Amino acid sequence: MTGIRQLADYLDISIGTVSRALNGKADVNAETRRRVLEAAEKLGYVPNQSGRSLRKGTTGVVGFMMQTGPEITSQGDAFFMSVFDGVQTVLSRHKLDLVALLCSSNEDPYAYLQRTVARGFADAIVLSATRRNDARFELLHRHDIPFISLGRSLTDVGQPWIDLDFEGMAEVAIERLIKAGHRDIGIIWPNGDLNLGYLFADRCREVLAEHGLVLSEDHIFRAKPSEAGGYAVAHQIASRSPRPSAIVLVNEILVTGLYKGLEDAGVKPGKDIAIIGRYSPQTQFLSPALTCFTLSLRDLGISLAEHLLSVMPAYQSHYIGQTPRVIWPMTLIEGTSG
């Protein structure tokens, strides 16, 4: 590996000129910049990132914290990979890089983030899987680290956030089912203490109440976010007496397992029980076609990055006028499942 000193010696020019050329400074002529870049590639130049970070006071890295574990499948990865693509599309405009911060499901997210902050690993953070009360917000706020959350929380330190319109999804889905004649409607609650579960369930209750109906506690089902979790909860639903005539769920990963589990229990999706869920690449192969909500994940990622940069002093002049908090809409795709 070649460092900047070896590169300067090879080209017989000053270290300062090489540094300015590598960093795209305007005071370096085009021919010198071309020679430096060609030599850097030829010799395998590797910048001393630690030294650069100390000198500049930045790392050039944005971290995206997400949860990992045996219950998270490739479908969950598909969600985040599409979001990542949108985020990096924006970051690359400013020569910033996105790094996934993978917190194991066996580790406390707060402790994981504490360790990341102590290492000074990233200039800014995107938080996902926001809890009802989320101490990570206060940690980043105390350390004056710019961040945005993909999701809301009762914990609020004035940071920007973007959240999917789970209340809007609940309203459209419940109204659709009531219009179709359903009165015993159930929901599948997202696993854990995610704030989206409370937002979704509360709005379902409100819409049902507007029609003189209630969301029975016996018709609120908990499921792990995997195909296996969907299969397991299907048997719980099928065994309830009375059984709900319709189910609404926000987790897109478990739908395929839910379909299979219901069929194995002798309950036909779309016929014996209506189902409304979220779109994923796998749901398009289900029969009957899933009635579901969809969104552009790449566009969501682009917006996340632009909103984050709008609160970073070095970049905020490029993103003036961003609405700091956004409810991200979802579009209903009418299928035959509900």
Side-chain angles (χ1 to χ4, degrees):
M1 294 189 296
T2 300
I4 193 168
R5 183 177 296 280
Q6 290 78 21
L7 191 56
D9 290 344
Y10 174 81
L11 292 165
D12 195 25
I13 57 179
S14 72
I15 291 175
T17 299
V18 172
S19 176
R20 292 196 300 278
L22 290 170
N23 286 287
K25 299 298 184 181
D27 62 348
V28 179
N29 68 61
E31 176 59 21
T32 300
R33 181 177 293 108
R34 181 192 63 77
R35 288 183 59 217
V36 170
L37 294 177
E38 287 182 355
E41 183 175 358
K42 177 181 177 181
L43 301 179
Y45 165 73
V46 177
N48 184 332
Q49 186 60 43
S50 297
R52 292 179 68 186
S53 297
L54 285 171
R55 288 192 300 274
K56 296 171 66 178
T58 61
T59 65
V61 169
V62 170
F64 195 120
M65 183 175 172
M66 59 180 289
Q67 200 86 12
T68 66
E71 294 172 353
I72 298 176
T73 67
S74 59
Q75 290 189 44
D77 295 339
F79 177 93
F80 282 106
M81 290 306 293
S82 297
V83 173
F84 289 167
D85 181 56
V87 172
Q88 186 57 46
T89 295
V90 176
L91 297 185
S92 63
R93 301 172 191 165
H94 307 282
K95 295 181 169 47
L96 297 171
D97 292 310
L98 178 67
V99 174
L101 303 174
L102 306 179
C103 177
S104 167
S105 58
N106 295 322
E107 183 171 7
D108 173 36
Y110 183 84
Y112 176 91
L113 187 59
Q114 262 189 321
R115 193 164 67 248
T116 301
V117 168
R119 289 172 175 167
F121 182 75
D123 297 333
I125 299 288
V126 181
L127 294 178
S128 64
T130 54
R131 271 60 178 177
R132 187 69 164 168
N133 295 282
D134 204 318
R136 296 177 300 168
F137 289 27
E138 295 166 334
L139 172 64
L140 293 174
H141 183 65
R142 283 198 307 274
H143 287 271
D144 199 26
I145 297 174
F147 76 100
I148 186 171
S149 58
L150 177 53
R152 286 163 279 173
S153 171
L154 293 181
T155 306
D156 189 343
V157 295
Q159 84 293 340
W161 53 253
I162 298 178
D163 201 3
L164 304 189
D165 188 8
F166 294 109
E167 295 104 324
M169 177 185 171
E171 182 173 343
V172 171
I174 297 297
E175 291 284 3
R176 178 184 175 90
L177 291 170
I178 291 174
K179 186 177 181 179
H182 294 281
R183 296 296 179 266
D184 296 318
I185 300 171
I187 67 170
I188 299 179
W189 186 289
N191 194 48
D193 192 42
L194 299 181
N195 191 53
L196 70 90
Y198 295 92
L199 296 173
F200 177 71
D202 287 348
R203 187 58 186 143
C204 286
R205 290 189 183 96
E206 290 168 0
V207 177
L208 286 166
E210 290 168 5
H211 293 271
L213 303 172
V214 297
L215 177 61
S216 168
E217 291 300 318
D218 287 341
H219 289 168
I220 299 176
F221 301 90
R222 298 272 183 167
K224 295 178 180 178
S226 64
E227 293 90 343
Y231 189 86
V233 79
H235 287 271
Q236 296 177 35
I237 293 169
S239 65
R240 283 291 153 87
S241 181
R243 186 179 70 223
S245 65
I247 285 287
V248 187
L249 63 151
V250 296
N251 188 292
E252 71 277 14
I253 298 174
L254 55 81
V255 179
T256 52
L258 177 67
Y259 262 55
K260 175 63 174 172
L262 288 171
E263 289 169 351
D264 286 355
V267 179
K268 297 294 183 184
K271 182 180 179 182
D272 300 324
I273 186 169
I275 300 174
I276 299 179
R278 288 258 312 280
Y279 172 85
S280 78
Q282 285 69 28
T283 57
Q284 61 187 308
F285 302 110
L286 293 174
S287 180
L290 180 68
T291 296
C292 58
F293 290 82
T294 188
L295 68 150
S296 170
L297 297 174
R298 187 174 186 275
D299 287 345
L300 175 62
I302 288 172
S303 190
L304 275 170
E306 290 180 343
H307 280 77
L308 177 60
L309 292 174
S310 75
V311 295
M312 297 176 67
Y315 309 102
Q316 58 190 183
S317 63
H318 298 280
Y319 302 97
I320 294 171
Q322 294 283 348
T323 303
R325 296 177 167 186
V326 177
I327 301 293
W328 196 268
M330 292 187 278
T331 302
L332 179 69
I333 299 176
E334 295 198 8
T336 52
S337 68

